[in-house]
Amino acid sequence: VISPLVILTFNSYLVTTIVLATLSYTGIWNCFRTFVSYYPTLTKKFATAFLFMPSVIFWGSSILKDTMTLSATCWWVHCCDELYFKRRNIVSNTFGLLLSATFIIIIKPYIFMVLFPVTLLWVLHRRIATIRNVLLKFIFLPLGMILLVAFSLYVMEWLGDRLDKFALEKALRTIEINQADMKRSEQYGSGFFDIGELDGTWSGVLGKFPIATVAGLFRPFLWEARGFTMVISSLENLWLLALVLLVLLRTRVVFFLRCIVGNPLLALSLGFAIFFAFAIGVTTPNFGAMVRFKIPLIPLLVAGVYIISFLEKKRRESSNLGRPFKLATYARGDPEHVQPPTGGNVTDRAVKR
């Protein structure tokens, strides 16, 4: 993939790294702008999520597959939003969507296996949210979920050969092989964890959901770190865990879940973060590999938690004023600051501020 860059930079490793990092940054920046367009008052928070997380900077800016797939994932989210919701630059965003999907499928197909269904959920959520009739919502919601699952399975089957060892009929065996392979300390070091034995069935794999998801989100813990980079990652994980727990306490969990269910952008960001964390947690028992593999979920996780914290603040303000809080009012962003796409470039104004 980087051969054209190597030729253009006359085989310079340093210059190739800088050029690749610059190109990958475009996806991260545009995804950041997408989130800012919905919640401009959270610009600084989103900057922390997308631009300043240490592991994302470290692993997402060098000549690695992770640099390319991180950028492609961010481009996918941005182009989907521009194409389906803002309806701008149809041709260029369609091309961007196809190009980012191609990069992800060729380089790391398991990212697409998580990203595609949650994107369908995002689109479906926004469409159903526009229906005001409660009876129609009650009818279309289960029907839409059935179609979402069926279409996702159809696409995964259609991509079977391209997904290679991550194809649906091979995925279970791949999980077992990865679990055994990455525990070889002579190859990967001693920094690995054990989620328990897998019995070779999908029910056995799904039974590992809690422990694997927690591992994908928050491990290695500080006492599990070995080496400087692992210490930095564990400190970042400690901050992530504290942030999530703090928001869970403030929202008393129930409102946290209501926000995910009631907000399309949160359904995308936290849905991807949770299911991707499970995917890498159940397939990657090695800390050194996992902290690198997980970087696509970190910006979306942090941004999602900040949005929920913002919604909780608005709910408390409404309660203090004796007003009812309607979560649906914020389903398309902050109504006090967001304008329709044709009404001005709110994103650029927020970023400049």
Side-chain angles (χ1 to χ4, degrees):
V1 172
I2 66 166
S3 293
L5 298 182
V6 174
I7 294 171
L8 289 173
T9 60
F10 301 99
N11 206 34
S12 170
Y13 181 85
L14 177 61
V15 179
T16 301
T17 302
I18 293 172
V19 173
L20 181 63
T22 303
L23 292 174
S24 69
Y25 183 72
T26 59
I28 300 168
W29 176 254
N30 278 289
C31 194
F32 160 68
R33 293 178 69 245
T34 295
F35 274 73
V36 170
S37 70
Y38 287 102
Y39 298 94
T41 55
L42 296 179
T43 299
K44 292 182 180 180
K45 302 290 188 181
F46 291 151
T48 300
F50 286 93
L51 310 179
F52 303 137
M53 296 302 293
S55 61
V56 178
I57 295 171
F58 185 81
W59 296 112
S61 59
S62 55
I63 301 178
L64 291 170
K65 292 184 289 184
D66 307 275
T67 301
M68 304 175 202
T69 52
L70 169 66
S71 183
T73 301
C74 290
W75 268 117
W76 170 275
V77 173
H78 170 72
C79 290
C80 277
D81 179 70
E82 292 287 310
L83 186 63
Y84 289 106
F85 304 130
K86 297 190 174 78
R87 299 188 182 278
R88 298 189 295 211
N89 305 320
I90 304 298
V91 175
S92 61
N93 283 304
T94 300
F95 176 76
L97 204 63
L98 294 174
L99 186 63
S100 59
T102 301
F103 264 84
I104 296 171
I105 292 170
I106 290 175
I107 299 173
K108 289 194 173 187
Y110 61 87
I111 296 179
F112 188 78
M113 294 178 71
V114 179
L115 186 60
F116 183 73
V118 297
T119 303
L120 290 182
L121 178 63
W122 182 27
V123 174
L124 176 67
H125 197 310
R126 281 288 296 269
R127 292 290 177 260
I128 292 179
T130 60
I131 302 175
R132 296 187 177 182
N133 188 293
V134 178
L135 178 61
L136 289 178
K137 278 189 177 183
F138 182 77
I139 295 172
F140 280 109
L141 184 59
L143 180 62
M145 294 303 295
I146 293 171
L147 291 175
L148 186 152
V149 173
F151 187 61
S152 297
L153 291 174
Y154 170 77
V155 171
M156 297 308 161
E157 288 288 345
W158 180 67
L159 292 171
D161 293 337
R162 298 173 181 83
L163 296 177
D164 192 26
K165 63 182 179 180
F166 295 101
L168 293 178
E169 66 274 10
K170 301 178 183 178
L172 193 60
R173 180 59 180 160
T174 299
I175 292 172
E176 294 177 326
I177 292 173
N178 284 358
Q179 278 285 330
D181 177 63
M182 287 196 172
K183 292 179 182 177
R184 292 183 297 139
S185 58
E186 69 276 8
Q187 297 292 331
Y188 299 102
S190 58
F192 61 84
F193 61 96
D194 190 4
I195 62 171
E197 290 294 326
L198 297 173
D199 59 8
T201 64
W202 279 112
S203 60
V205 172
L206 294 175
K208 305 297 183 182
F209 186 88
I211 187 172
T213 303
V214 170
L217 290 173
F218 306 121
R219 294 180 75 176
F221 299 125
L222 194 57
W223 58 87
E224 296 172 325
R226 300 290 185 273
F228 178 74
T229 56
M230 286 298 100
V231 170
I232 297 299
S233 295
S234 64
L235 289 173
E236 179 183 88
N237 289 337
L238 180 62
W239 180 83
L240 282 172
L241 180 60
L243 177 67
V244 172
L245 289 177
L246 180 62
V247 175
L248 281 172
L249 288 172
R250 286 177 176 174
T251 59
R252 299 180 182 178
V253 181
V254 175
F255 186 71
F256 191 98
L257 297 176
R258 277 184 58 203
C259 289
I260 297 176
V261 174
N263 188 293
L265 195 59
L266 287 173
L268 167 77
S269 55
L270 294 183
F272 175 78
I274 291 170
F275 288 109
F276 189 64
F278 166 67
I280 61 173
V282 80
T283 59
T284 313
N286 182 271
F287 289 135
M290 189 172 66
V291 296
R292 179 164 50 89
F293 294 168
K294 69 185 282 187
I295 60 173
L297 73 83
I298 294 175
L300 296 177
L301 171 66
V302 177
V305 173
Y306 276 139
I307 292 173
I308 293 179
S309 180
F310 168 79
L311 295 175
E312 168 62 13
K313 179 181 176 182
K314 291 295 182 180
R315 185 177 74 90
R316 288 179 181 272
E317 289 176 357
S318 298
S319 178
N320 291 336
L321 294 173
R323 300 173 183 171
F325 176 79
K326 295 182 179 179
L327 187 59
T329 306
Y330 296 86
R332 296 191 177 188
D334 185 356
E336 298 177 10
H337 296 89
V338 173
Q339 299 177 6
T342 55
N345 205 335
V346 65
T347 309
D348 291 337
R349 291 201 302 272
V351 169
K352 288 176 182 176
R353 184 172 67 249

